[in-house]
Every structure is written in structure tokens, then in C-alpha cells.
Amino acid sequence: MFLAGCYQEVITLGSYVRAFHRDKFYQLTAEVIEVALPEGVLTEYVMESYERSYLSILIALSYFNLDKKEEALVELRQSMMDENAHIYNHGNDPVITLLHAAIWSNFDLNVARPFWKKLSEDKNVSSEVQSFSQERVQEIDGNKKFEGTWRIFGLGYMPRLTWKTDFIKRENGPYKIMPTRNFPKTCSTNSTILMPTSSWVQKLSKRYEADYHPLLYTKSVVRVPFGFTYGVLGVTTGVAAGATGCAIGAYANSSSLCADSLNAAGYIIKKTGNMVEYVMAPDLRHWEKMPTAFFITRGNIDQSVPCLFDVELNLMTLHTLAR
């Protein structure tokens, strides 16, 4: 809706979604039953912290596009609060920090400076982001004048996700969640920066860490015996179906019946693996139509911008997120 220019609809619907998917409401029955079922089948989705903050930013930009600056600044501050809120899904994100730094630089450098400073000292971001942010801090401290405002573009869409289990070591939770393709590499010039949203996938993996969501972690570990039990039942059913079919076929002197029974048994056993994977899979629900990277610039977009034109062609769709 934002890309289509439906700014009032973004404000109305976005505010509703943020209000009703912000907090976790526990239902004992659903939580207990879900131990034997895939995660998320019976429980409502709770927005990730970066999703809440990004939604607030979109609402703020919608207000800006409707020439309602005061309301927009209120929403930007709401996004800042969402970043630091100690609720179910919580945690700061460097991509959101970069968006705040760029947007606030267009309105209030005193507010923008702490965001640039935070990025310049963040050991979890690349050296490119740290250096770029440090330059912005030096500009602000030196009262340097520069032309143009920061413009923000979303690049492509996030890749699909896959996962694998790690129930033995469990150093960072029982699941490792990974993208099916690589994110663009971080790149910067004097007036541009391209930053991937790979930290958002890392945040999804953090859902299952014991010290982050103890209940989710416990449910995923307890669910393992159920998964193996379903697997054993599936294999047993397949073997029983094949043996029974062949026994009846021998009694009826029908070789085709035995062959068909063995084929059916093989199919059941084969699909048992899919059922085990389905039951033991992590909850991968997230907003899929999110940018795979953000391109932020206060210069012109042309062939001289290596950060942008070194990106794979299938990711080259730019979505304007700011005027």
C-alpha cells in the first residue's frame, strides 16, 4: 500500500496491526497442545521487534507524504520506543538504527547524532557501516554543511528461509535459520550506503534461544520425542501395510496385490520423513515482503554508484521509502 501511495490506508491499517500483534497473550491449552504439533499452529503471530519499528517508520513516512510533519515525528519517536520496549519480541536492530539516523538527519541533527554514534561503535555491523557512520558523526560535530537530503530505497525482497536442527550442541538454540540465497554485500561511498537486512534473519534464529524465549525453547526440545514417535508410527504403519497386503496376496494367489502393497508401504515410509520434518519445524512466520537491503543516498542514482550497480540484477527493483 505504501508503494502504491495509499498513505492514509497505511496509517490506519498499520496502526491496527501494530496494536493487535505487538504483545504475546498466553493461552495455556494452546501452548500445551502445541507441544505435539508444529510451532505456530494454535498461537497467534507476534510481530518481531524490527517489524514493529519498521512499520512505525512506514507510518511516519506516510504522514510526511501527507504533509503532517508533527504526526510523522510522533511516529518516529514511537519507532524509537518500539526498539527499546521490553516486551515479548524485543531487541535493537542496526538496520532500523540506520534508518532512524538517515531520516532524523533530514530534520534534527541533534537527534540523528546518537544513532550515527551508536552504529559507529556497534561491533556487530561491518567496518563499512562503522566508518560511514563515524564520518556522519564528524560532519555533525564539525558543523559541516552538505547539500541534499537523505533518500531511502528498499532493495528487492528478503530471500526465503530454510532451517536445520542442532539439538546436540544447542549453543544458540535448537534451530539454525538461514536464507536460501545470499544478501547483498555492504557497500558505501562518501554519500551512499547499501546495508543488507541479514540481521533480521539472525533475529528470527534468536527466537529459540533459551535466555530469550524460555517457553519456546522448552517446547521445541520437548517436541523432539513426539516427532520421533510420529516417525516410528509412520514406518510401522508402512511395514504393516506391506506385510498385510503381501499376506493377503499370497492367500489369494495375486502377485500384483503384493506389489501394490509394497509400493504403498514405500510411499507411507517415504512420507513419514516429511511428517517428522513438519512437526519438528521451527516457526518461520515473518513478513516476507521486506527489503533485502536498504540503499540510502543524498546524491544522484546513476551508473557511478558501485554500491547499487554491483548488486545482482534480480535484486535491482528499488522501492522509494522517502521523499
Side-chain angles (χ1 to χ4, degrees):
M1 286 191 294
F2 183 88
L3 298 179
C6 303
Y7 302 122
Q8 187 58 55
E9 287 76 8
V10 170
I11 294 169
T12 303
L13 182 59
S15 300
Y16 174 85
V17 170
R18 185 178 59 192
F20 284 90
H21 292 278
R22 179 178 184 269
D23 299 302
K24 169 77 172 180
F25 296 96
Y26 292 94
Q27 296 178 324
L28 181 60
T29 303
E31 298 290 350
V32 172
I33 295 177
E34 209 173 53
V35 170
L37 297 173
E39 188 67 46
V41 171
L42 300 177
T43 52
E44 290 287 336
Y45 179 68
V46 181
M47 294 171 63
E48 284 292 341
S49 54
Y50 70 83
E51 292 172 342
R52 290 196 314 271
S53 298
Y54 184 60
L55 178 57
S56 294
I57 289 175
L58 289 181
I59 293 174
L61 295 177
S62 296
Y63 275 122
F64 278 128
N65 281 286
L66 294 175
D67 294 322
K68 297 181 178 180
K69 181 179 177 180
E70 292 303 319
E71 291 88 341
L73 295 180
V74 169
E75 287 297 332
L76 281 180
R77 293 185 175 91
Q78 175 67 47
S79 181
M80 294 164 58
M81 293 174 59
D82 285 337
E83 271 273 86
N84 299 297
H86 292 286
I87 54 180
Y88 182 72
N89 283 328
H90 56 275
N92 294 318
D93 179 77
V95 176
I96 297 297
T97 302
L98 177 65
L99 294 178
H100 275 295
I103 295 173
W104 278 107
S105 292
N106 294 334
F107 301 99
D108 191 333
L109 292 176
N110 291 326
V111 177
R113 187 187 185 281
F115 292 107
W116 291 121
K117 182 67 172 176
K118 181 178 180 180
L119 284 172
S120 70
E121 298 174 347
D122 191 345
K123 303 301 182 182
N124 294 320
V125 301
S126 68
S127 57
E128 292 248 18
V129 175
Q130 289 179 329
S131 299
F132 183 84
S133 302
Q134 184 60 39
E135 291 175 5
R136 306 288 79 75
V137 174
Q138 293 173 355
E139 282 183 352
I140 295 172
D141 292 345
N143 293 319
K144 294 183 180 180
K145 294 183 179 180
F146 50 85
E147 296 181 359
T149 58
W150 291 104
R151 292 185 294 162
I152 302 173
F153 299 89
L155 183 65
Y157 293 110
M158 287 182 67
R160 294 182 179 275
L161 302 178
T162 185
W163 60 278
K164 64 180 182 180
T165 57
D166 185 18
F167 286 99
I168 305 300
K169 295 181 179 179
R170 291 182 296 194
E171 295 177 354
N172 296 313
Y175 299 105
K176 182 178 181 180
I177 299 174
M178 306 160 290
T180 55
R181 60 170 168 79
N182 294 330
F183 283 86
K185 294 181 179 179
T186 303
C187 176
S188 65
T189 65
N190 291 334
S191 60
T192 65
I193 185 170
L194 187 148
M195 186 174 183
T197 56
S198 52
S199 62
W200 293 354
V201 176
Q202 296 170 7
K203 181 61 169 60
L204 295 175
S205 292
K206 191 176 181 180
R207 288 177 178 175
Y208 288 91
E209 293 183 7
D211 58 348
Y212 187 71
H213 286 327
L215 177 60
L216 203 58
Y217 172 84
T218 303
K219 287 169 63 181
S220 64
V221 174
V222 174
R223 190 177 290 113
V224 174
F226 286 95
F228 282 116
T229 300
Y230 295 150
V232 171
L233 290 175
V235 172
T236 303
T237 301
V239 172
T244 302
C246 284
I248 296 175
Y251 180 79
N253 196 24
S254 174
S255 59
S256 61
L257 178 59
C258 181
D260 291 341
S261 298
L262 291 177
N263 289 333
Y267 180 81
I268 293 173
I269 294 173
K270 182 180 179 181
K271 291 299 180 180
T272 296
N274 295 343
M275 181 177 67
V276 173
E277 182 178 345
Y278 171 72
V279 172
M280 295 179 62
D283 183 4
L284 295 181
R285 289 179 294 175
H286 67 288
W287 288 9
E288 298 179 2
K289 294 296 184 179
M290 300 278 271
T292 191
F294 285 99
F295 177 68
I296 300 176
T297 180
R298 61 185 181 202
N300 295 322
I301 301 177
D302 53 35
Q303 296 292 336
S304 65
V305 183
C307 292
L308 188 59
F309 288 90
D310 284 345
V311 177
E312 296 179 18
L313 292 178
N314 63 331
L315 301 178
M316 280 300 299
T317 303
L318 283 174
H319 310 292
T320 305
L321 297 180
R323 292 185 296 177

